[in-house]
Amino acid sequence: GVCPGCSYRWQITFCPSCRQFSPHEDWYHWPEGSVEERERELELGRN
């Protein structure tokens, strides 16, 4: 997540419902078949 106010890129996200922290990328689900593509992007530093 990127803060709209200061543009800081957060690595951990807080859930106000269960009051737990988790890695920000765990909040996203990629369409089937795009997992390999996303992993390649991360390896190349294009996040």
Side-chain angles (χ1 to χ4, degrees):
V2 177
C3 175
C6 69
S7 299
Y8 182 81
R9 179 178 292 261
W10 293 92
Q11 300 299 315
I12 297 175
T13 301
F14 176 75
C15 175
S17 181
C18 70
R19 306 187 59 76
Q20 298 293 314
F21 288 91
S22 62
H24 186 76
E25 71 177 30
D26 287 355
W27 284 65
Y28 296 94
H29 300 275
W30 304 104
E32 201 170 311
S34 69
V35 172
E36 296 84 10
E37 183 178 321
R38 178 66 179 149
E39 287 174 349
R40 275 193 301 270
E41 288 178 359
L42 291 172
E43 287 174 4
L44 296 173
R46 291 187 262 153
N47 19 341

